[in-house]
């Protein structure tokens, strides 16, 4: 294979130029010495272990890196760190979901089924005179309501026809009517939230029978429409106000930078496409490599992934003995602008990882105030196991020789819990 891993080019003569070093995927050169982990390194410093492929600008000779080169290094380091964090967070959440599916969900299902049995055993005692003391009936009604809410919380619905009838009896409304009322409360909360942000949002299209995906799509559509309206208002305001000479100069500079950015990024893609085109390669082994690299190049260009394009530039232009150090400050200014945008996108992606639909089962463990995920699988399993044992013991007692006595004891315990609960609870 042409070019050795970690090979560096000679520095340019007294021009303050920087060399581009590259690291292999597993972080080691053929000699077993770890390759450069940081984004730049002064010659002669030790090289600690690394595990990620990255880019690095190294000062040539005694020259120092320019501000643009240092900024480039920082941005690339941030991108690599964010990508590792996104991957690690995804793996962490994947492990949580797998544990939940294998260990916790079966316990929750058993608890849901056991609670259904308790509701069916308690409901007959709601009949007038069944307990012998009428003042206990309202508390029993509340107990049954709480049990039904727990079942809905676990299963997401109340599918059993007999339980739906019990729900109507103790709540005075059907499950569908209750869902519509709850959704109306949520819709009012959303309306207040939008109004406090100065947004005139039309929530009339949201319905209680919509799936979570349909609701999310509607909210996303409203958000996009609001952002478009805000942009249109800002543009109209900007056009109505005479622009200062300074503002006109800034806009011209921004347009020039945008044109330069497109030209440089597009030029980098065309340069690499020409270099990596497999049909132009005579060596069979290199042709296979270039086919894979060409796929990476196409994907990176479609995704506007400058970081990936730069990796390909380093990996292939350097190994082809071309001048890989021609990253001038002017070109770096363009690259840094794109890399900065990429950093912002990755930071947003990191915050959104846990909101992916595949991690929906974990949402119940999310702290509503701080947004942190409070998931301790073994501890939750222990809690559910203990809860199941208590519920099964209660079921056995309700089926025992003195079910009425057990119901009255449960009502007394429920009354004490209500008295001990804080007023805001």
């Amino acid at each position: 294979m042409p070019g050795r891993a970690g090979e560096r080019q000679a520095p340019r003569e007294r021009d303050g130029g920087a060399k581009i070093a590259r690291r292999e995927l597993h972080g080691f050169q053929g000699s077993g010495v770890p390759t450069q982990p940081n984004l730049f390194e002064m010659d002669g410093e030790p090289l600690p272990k690394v595990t990620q492929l990255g880019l690095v600008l190294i000062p040539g000779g005694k020259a120092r890196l320019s501000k643009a080169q240092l900024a480039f290094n920082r941005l690339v380091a941030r991108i690599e760190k964010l990508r590792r964090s996104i991957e690690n967070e995804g793996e962490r959440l994947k492990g949580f979901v797998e544990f939940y599916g294998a260990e916790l969900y079966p316990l929750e299902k058993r608890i849901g089924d056991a609670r259904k049995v308790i509701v069916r055993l308690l409901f007959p005692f709601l009949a007038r005179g069944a307990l012998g003391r009428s003042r206990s009936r309202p508390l029993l009604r509340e107990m049954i309501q709480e049990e039904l809410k727990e079942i809905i919380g676990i299963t997401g619905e109340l599918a059993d026809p007999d339980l739906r009838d019990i729900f109507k009896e103790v709540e005075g409304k059907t499950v569908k009517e209750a869902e519509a009322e709850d959704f109306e409360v949520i819709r009012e909360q959303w309306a207040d939230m939008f109004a406090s942000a100065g947004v005139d949002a039309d929530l009339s299209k949201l319905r209680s029978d919509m799936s979570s995906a349909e609701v999310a799509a509607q909210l996303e559509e409203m958000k996009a429409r609001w952002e478009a309206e805000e942009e249109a208002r800002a543009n109209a305001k900007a056009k109505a106000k005479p622009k200062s000479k300074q503002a006109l100069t800034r806009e011209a500079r921004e347009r020039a930078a945008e044109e330069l950015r497109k030209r440089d990024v597009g030029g980098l893609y065309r340069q690499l496409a020409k270099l990596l085109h497999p049909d132009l390669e005579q060596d069979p082994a290199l042709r296979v490599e270039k086919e894979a690299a060409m796929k990476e190049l196409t994907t990176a260009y479609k995704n506007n992934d400058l970081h990936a394009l730069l990796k390909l530039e380093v990996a292939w232009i350097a190994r082809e003995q071309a001048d890989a150090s021609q990253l001038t400050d002017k070109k770096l200014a363009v690259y840094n602008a794109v890399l900065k945008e990429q950093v912002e996108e990755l930071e947003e992606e990191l915050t959104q990882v846990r909101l992916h639909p595949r991690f929906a089962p974990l949402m119940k463990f999310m702290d509503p105030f701080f947004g942190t995920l409070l998931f301790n699988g073994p501890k939750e399993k222990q809690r559910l196991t203990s809860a199941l044992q208590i519920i099964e013991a209660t079921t056995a007692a309700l089926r025992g020789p003195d079910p009425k006595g057990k119901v009255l004891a449960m009502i007394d315990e429920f009354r004490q819990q209500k008295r001990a609960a804080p007023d805001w609870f």
Side-chain angles (χ1 to χ4, degrees), residues 284-419:
L286 274 178
R287 186 182 301 117
V288 173
E289 286 189 55
K290 287 189 174 183
E291 286 175 353
M294 193 67 186
K295 291 179 181 178
E296 291 182 40
L297 175 65
T298 303
T299 301
Y301 185 66
K302 287 181 178 178
N303 295 336
N304 197 29
D305 189 344
L306 177 63
H307 183 256
L309 289 172
L310 289 173
K311 281 186 178 181
L312 288 167
E313 181 184 41
V314 170
W316 285 92
I317 293 183
R319 68 188 282 177
E320 293 289 330
Q321 307 302 317
D323 185 0
S325 61
Q326 297 297 322
L327 283 178
T328 64
D329 280 1
K330 186 176 182 181
K331 180 180 285 188
L332 281 172
V334 176
Y335 287 173
N336 288 347
V338 181
L339 291 174
K340 186 176 181 180
E341 292 176 4
Q342 200 163 350
V343 165
E344 294 172 355
E345 291 170 0
L346 289 172
E347 287 175 339
E348 177 65 19
E349 184 178 344
L350 179 58
T351 63
Q352 298 295 318
V353 170
R354 66 186 58 178
L355 301 181
H356 194 282
R358 69 167 66 100
F359 303 131
L362 303 177
M363 288 300 101
K364 66 179 72 178
F365 303 103
M366 193 74 72
D367 186 310
F369 297 103
F370 300 100
T372 53
L373 185 62
L374 307 176
F375 183 85
N376 185 322
K379 186 175 181 179
E380 181 66 9
K381 181 179 179 180
Q382 183 180 14
R383 185 190 72 81
L384 291 175
T385 301
S386 299
L388 180 60
Q389 291 173 349
I390 294 173
I391 293 172
E392 289 178 339
T394 300
T395 302
L398 289 172
R399 285 172 167 167
D402 185 19
K404 178 180 176 180
K406 177 59 180 175
V407 173
L408 292 174
M410 290 173 66
I411 292 173
D412 290 338
E413 182 181 357
F414 184 69
R415 181 184 292 109
Q416 293 174 9
Q417 290 175 350
K418 283 177 64 68
R419 287 174 179 172

Side-chain angles (χ1 to χ4, degrees), residues 29 35 61 70 75 100 133 242 272 283 299 328 381 402 422:
Q29 298 174 332
T35 53
L70 290 170
L75 289 167
Y100 174 83
R133 54 189 198 191
L272 290 172
D283 187 316
T299 301
T328 64
K381 181 179 179 180
D402 185 19

Side-chain angles (χ1 to χ4, degrees), residues 22-27 50-55 76 80 84 296 307 311-312 314-315:
R22 54 196 171 91
R23 301 176 292 197
E24 297 300 327
L25 278 169
H26 300 293
V50 296
T51 56
Q52 297 291 326
L53 173 65
L55 302 170
V76 170
E80 292 179 353
R84 287 194 298 269
E296 291 182 40
H307 183 256
K311 281 186 178 181
L312 288 167
V314 170

